[in-house]
Amino acid sequence: MTAMTDDSIPVTPRAIHDEMIAFGIMAALLLVVPLTGIYPFFVMQALCFALLACAFNLLIGYGGLLSFGHAMFLGTAGYCTAHALKVWGVSPELGILVGTAGAAALAVITGLVAIRRQGIYFAMITLALSQLLFFIYLQAPFTHGEDGIQGIPQGRLFGVFNLANPTILYYVILAGFLFGFLVIFRTINSPFGEVLKAIRENEPRAISLGYKTDQYKLLAYILSGTLAGLAGALKVFVAQNASLTDVEVAMSGQIVLMTLVGGLGTVFGPVVGAFIIVAMQQYLSGLGQWVTVIQGAVFVVCVLTFRRGIIGEVAHYFRRSL
Amino acid sequence: MQALYAQLLVGLINGSFYALLSLGLAVIFGMLNIINFAHGAVYMMGAFVAYFLLNVAGIGYWPALIIAPIVVGIFGMILERTMLQWLAGLDHLYGLLLTFGLALIIQGVFQNYFGSSGLPYSIPDELKGGMNLGFMYLPIYRGWVVIFSLIVCIGTWYLIERTRLGAYLRAATENPTLVRAFGINVPRMITLTYGLGVGLAALAGVLSAPINQVRPLMGENVIIVVFAVVVIGGMGSIMGSIITGFALGVIEGLTKYFYPEASNTVVFVLMVLVLLVKPTGLTGRAA
């Protein structure tokens, strides 16, 4: 990870102070969205992807592990939540719990396999695992194959909040996003996060200092998968369906792209990246397959000339940690 | 029994493609330290070049077998010179991300012009028909693909492990700086290596065109299976990737016969098992 961290700024109390201010601005902006008349569906979708990208970033940006299969958590949580809501008829809060727990269980199982290799192999293994899961979901009866699970009831959260109301749904999604974001924020500024960064910088040295690095990596992987699952569970209420597109390799690629555009290893980068990529899809959807080509081009340009990402560049310019 | 032999043959053919593709991945990784995510896309390009040669220029299968890998190889060398070489010294992951982007671009462009359906490419006259082996009916083209792939794989192995050029290559993989000090043009070797790896993938594409049709996304799933093959076999040894490729193709074929539901997933399940038992892969050194 040398290139990524060449210019990184050590986290000092001052830096955390900056990040808190930035968090306040972000939360305030997101709180007033329903008053501005911006299409709430777009922002909700972007928030789900933002949380997903943040969870992914926890692994790559702070643990140095590139997962090329993070869509498996999104899709698994989506299927679990959708199945619980539609077939079992559980309440929304329980549905979210079921989805997140499903993703967490998947993270434990796949994590035990994937963390056995590092670097490039880790990326290939997670990719293969997600493809394995894709084929399982393609054939499993409860996912309804190509059709997916459709027409999912939104219900009332805690029996009070009617999620069919877009404004209420928006604040519920926002609350979920902010919760997940704060969990990640707390994690990376905790002693656990410091050890993760140490492992990313120099794993042999971390081992020689007595850290059981495999356990740290596994825990980070599980945490990342679980939060990605939370994003997947929330997304069910927005999209009202769960389908195979959420498990595809292309989706995993998009998660990587969002984080890369926003800035790998930055706190706010994945959020910015997610909004940009979701907006791009929204506005360019008329172009059909050219969207894929454009996404590929963004990948190439980012890797060749723009490796810090948007927030990374801003932070570098102002010499702040964001 | 007929069905079993037929599936075994299909397995051997898929195994040939896995072997050719994982061989190229291993060679490229050795020299460039890049996992070439665009490998599936160049495999597809090989098939398309053969298709264009036939339908635009009237050039048939046999010349295409040589021309297509060269054309795609040159395309690869241009990519290496213009983009990949700038990643030298950066983390491996950037190479994966860049080539993933390239794969999206290449596949997206072809999908725009050719949709997602398959274009037919007929078997050359010399290889049409089949022969009765007593225990099974062998379509000649399929037998040809297996034997020809095997020859190419062993030829590549010979080139790398037994010739002077191969010795330079292996030396440059171990220690590029030292090899440069001996006056060998390592950057040019890197470019040629990438061209070789990509050319092998394109060759696999030409071979598969009459069997699997020519489709823009024909490489999309294959590349992920090949990644699993590479994880299982490890990238340290050329012969290792060849044997693993063929073996996994055969296992996949057998699965299609005994338990068809698992034929898509068996390679990935094997990968998980190998990782649990021997995390470094069957032939690999610790990464």
Side-chain angles (χ1 to χ4, degrees), chain A residues 43 65 71 89 154 185 201 216 242 282 290 315:
Chain A
V43 185
L65 295 166
Q154 287 169 310
F185 187 61
E201 297 300 325
Y216 279 89
Q282 198 95 7
W290 288 112

Side-chain angles (χ1 to χ4, degrees), chain A residues 1 3-4 113 116-117 120-121 125 127-129 131-132 135 139 249 256 289-290 293 296-297 299-300 303 307, chain B residues 35 90-91 93-94 97 100-101 105 108-109 111-112 221 224 227 235 261 264-265 268 272 275-276 279-280:
Chain A
M1 279 307 113
M4 202 179 291
V113 176
R116 287 169 167 260
R117 301 296 294 273
I120 208 78
Y121 282 98
I125 291 165
L127 177 64
L129 288 171
Q131 187 76 347
L132 170 64
F135 282 117
Q139 290 168 344
V249 174
V256 179
Q289 278 307 319
W290 288 112
V293 179
F299 254 112
V300 171
V303 172
R307 279 185 290 276
Chain B
I35 286 290
L90 292 180
D91 194 277
L93 301 176
Y94 286 115
L97 297 182
F100 178 74
I105 295 174
V109 167
Q111 249 189 311
N112 263 306
N221 286 336
I224 301 172
F227 278 178
M235 283 185 291
E261 289 82 1
N264 282 329
T265 48
F268 302 121
V272 170
L275 282 172
L276 291 177
T280 49

Side-chain angles (χ1 to χ4, degrees), chain A residues 57-96:
Chain A
N57 184 44
L58 173 65
L59 211 49
I60 171 81
Y62 299 94
L65 295 166
L66 172 70
S67 160
F68 226 103
H70 244 51
M72 65 182 157
F73 302 115
L74 178 76
T76 301
Y79 277 132
C80 290
T81 301
H83 189 78
L85 290 175
K86 196 174 180 192
V87 181
W88 300 340
V90 301
S91 56
E93 62 275 13
L94 224 65
I96 294 174

Side-chain angles (χ1 to χ4, degrees), chain A residues 18-124:
Chain A
D18 288 343
E19 288 166 359
M20 295 299 263
I21 293 174
F23 177 78
I25 295 171
M26 179 182 77
L29 281 176
L30 289 171
L31 276 170
V32 298
V33 160
L35 308 175
T36 59
I38 299 173
Y39 187 42
F41 181 78
F42 160 73
V43 185
M44 283 191 270
Q45 212 188 7
L47 282 176
C48 293
F49 280 110
L51 178 54
L52 183 61
C54 286
F56 166 80
N57 184 44
L58 173 65
L59 211 49
I60 171 81
Y62 299 94
L65 295 166
L66 172 70
S67 160
F68 226 103
H70 244 51
M72 65 182 157
F73 302 115
L74 178 76
T76 301
Y79 277 132
C80 290
T81 301
H83 189 78
L85 290 175
K86 196 174 180 192
V87 181
W88 300 340
V90 301
S91 56
E93 62 275 13
L94 224 65
I96 294 174
L97 210 61
V98 169
T100 313
L106 178 71
V108 173
I109 298 167
T110 55
L112 284 171
V113 176
I115 58 149
R116 287 169 167 260
R117 301 296 294 273
Q118 280 103 47
I120 208 78
Y121 282 98
F122 180 85
M124 290 196 284

Side-chain angles (χ1 to χ4, degrees), chain B residues 29-83:
Chain B
F29 184 71
M31 277 301 269
L32 286 85
N33 270 324
I34 280 176
I35 286 290
N36 188 26
F37 216 127
H39 225 59
V42 289
Y43 162 78
M44 175 271 290
M45 281 179 79
F48 263 98
V49 171
Y51 176 83
F52 291 139
L53 283 174
L54 185 67
N55 290 290
V56 179
I59 297 171
Y61 177 82
W62 299 106
L65 218 44
I66 297 163
I67 299 172
I70 291 175
V71 169
V72 179
I74 290 172
F75 173 76
M77 287 192 260
I78 294 171
L79 289 185
E80 198 279 331
R81 269 290 143 109
T82 52
M83 296 180 200

Side-chain angles (χ1 to χ4, degrees), chain B residues 4 13 34 50 106 116 132 138 156 185 223 259 270 279 286:
Chain B
L4 174 62
I13 287 171
I34 280 176
I106 297 169
S116 292
N132 200 336
L138 175 73
T156 312
N185 189 341
I223 185 65
Y259 188 58
L270 278 173

Side-chain angles (χ1 to χ4, degrees), chain B residues 204-266:
Chain B
V206 182
L207 288 173
S208 95
I211 299 175
N212 297 325
Q213 295 196 315
V214 182
R215 286 178 296 118
L217 295 183
M218 64 194 282
E220 202 189 24
N221 286 336
V222 173
I223 185 65
I224 301 172
V225 178
V226 173
F227 278 178
V229 171
V230 163
V231 172
I232 293 172
M235 283 185 291
S237 126
I238 300 289
M239 206 37 124
S241 14
I242 299 172
I243 295 170
T244 323
F246 274 100
L248 286 171
V250 169
I251 292 172
E252 205 181 50
L254 289 176
T255 316
K256 261 187 203 130
Y257 178 75
F258 289 107
Y259 188 58
E261 289 82 1
S263 60
N264 282 329
T265 48
V266 63

